[in-house]
Amino acid sequence: TMLGEIVGGNGRIGSAIRRFAGDDLYCTRKLDKIGVNSPTNTPIFVCTGVENLEEVVSKTEPSRRRDLVFMQVELVRPTMPYDLILVQNGLVRSLLVDLEEDQTIAVLYFSVLERNGPAKEGGCSYVHGRWAQEFCNILK
């Protein structure tokens, strides 16, 4: 069964998440509408840079926006993920304030130096929200 969808699955972090998940994630292509190629009630992993978050949210089916799993690498204040995303990219502010309280935010403490390269652990990663358990299962 399909675990969900991944946006930015060909980048460094995205390729690592795809390896962890196996072939169970639909890899969204650049022109795809997000959230229509995976089953409802499955996570949509967002592995893009902060500069692309506005586009990702706007291209996501409104009914699937609560399934978005936002990932950031080594943020300074992981207990305040909403503030961090908003501060890093003011353009996303109006889109993110309407998202669900249980939105999944992952603060990753591992690095991938090159696309399809190995993930190197750098500490304890933090995951909060609706899809936290599923995300942790993929990372095991």
Side-chain angles (χ1 to χ4, degrees), residues 14-44:
S15 65
I17 299 299
R18 282 178 47 212
R19 275 195 316 280
F20 295 146
D23 294 325
D24 295 331
L25 294 175
Y26 176 84
C27 191
T28 301
R29 293 182 293 273
K30 184 133 180 96
L31 299 175
D32 286 351
K33 186 81 173 153
I34 299 168
V36 298
N37 293 300
S38 60
T40 57
N41 292 317
T42 59
I44 302 169

Side-chain angles (χ1 to χ4, degrees), residues 3-107:
L3 291 175
E5 195 167 328
I6 187 166
V7 180
N10 291 321
R12 290 178 299 136
I13 298 296
S15 65
I17 299 299
R18 282 178 47 212
R19 275 195 316 280
F20 295 146
D23 294 325
D24 295 331
L25 294 175
Y26 176 84
C27 191
T28 301
R29 293 182 293 273
K30 184 133 180 96
L31 299 175
D32 286 351
K33 186 81 173 153
I34 299 168
V36 298
N37 293 300
S38 60
T40 57
N41 292 317
T42 59
I44 302 169
F45 299 99
V46 180
C47 303
T48 64
V50 172
E51 67 278 3
N52 298 312
L53 290 180
E54 179 181 33
E55 180 184 4
V56 167
V57 174
S58 67
K59 287 175 70 173
T60 301
E61 284 292 315
S63 64
R64 298 292 313 277
R65 287 183 181 165
R66 70 184 304 242
D67 293 322
L68 292 170
V69 176
F70 293 102
M71 287 181 255
Q72 300 296 325
V73 178
E74 299 184 12
L75 294 173
V76 179
R77 290 174 32 194
T79 57
M80 300 286 290
Y82 299 104
D83 289 347
L84 288 166
I85 290 174
L86 294 173
V87 167
Q88 287 182 345
N89 186 355
L91 297 174
V92 182
R93 180 182 301 278
S94 63
L95 296 170
L96 285 182
V97 292
D98 293 332
L99 294 179
E100 299 294 323
E101 210 173 280
D102 64 348
Q103 195 75 46
T104 306
I105 306 288
V107 181

Side-chain angles (χ1 to χ4, degrees), residues 110-129:
F110 65 81
S111 62
V112 181
L113 299 179
E114 58 189 34
R115 190 167 33 157
N116 297 318
K120 297 184 188 271
E121 191 173 329
C124 183
S125 293
Y126 300 89
V127 186
H128 165 80

